[in-house]
Amino acid sequence: MEVAGIIAQIDAQIAKLQQARTLLAGTQTVTTGRGRPKGSKNVKAATAAAPAKKISKRKLSPEGRKRIADAMKKRWADRREQIAKG
């Protein structure tokens, strides 16, 4: 049997054992993945603790936008010229 197949079987058995343990422990939720379980009380505390910061976007003047466009056109023209030279 390949190593990958053995690892997959072990992972499946671990998941089954974790489900059985949670059922025997008396908890209602059965977690099948990683991370915080849904409905966790920590979610509300984490979002309430960090106030949302307003991110200001930078404005680009029309002159600046034109300078960038002209520079890119020049770059593309130089690139086409290099490709044509071979």
Side-chain angles (χ1 to χ4, degrees):
M1 187 178 283
E2 294 182 10
V3 175
I6 294 171
I7 291 173
Q9 287 181 354
I10 290 172
D11 288 340
Q13 288 178 358
I14 288 172
K16 287 179 185 178
L17 289 172
Q18 285 176 341
Q19 288 178 351
R21 184 184 183 282
T22 55
L23 290 173
L24 290 173
T27 58
Q28 295 293 336
T29 58
V30 177
T31 58
T32 57
R34 294 183 180 188
R36 185 181 2 231
K38 291 183 180 179
S40 175
K41 294 178 182 176
N42 294 336
V43 174
K44 293 178 185 175
T47 56
K53 292 182 181 180
K54 186 174 183 179
I55 300 172
S56 62
K57 292 190 176 186
R58 296 181 183 179
K59 302 285 182 171
L60 190 62
S61 67
E63 293 84 17
R65 191 180 310 267
K66 183 170 179 357
R67 275 195 309 247
I68 292 173
D70 291 341
M72 288 304 295
K73 286 177 185 176
K74 182 180 182 296
R75 180 178 175 224
W76 294 330
D78 292 343
R79 179 72 177 145
R80 271 189 247 113
E81 187 178 317
Q82 286 178 356
I83 291 173
K85 285 182 181 178

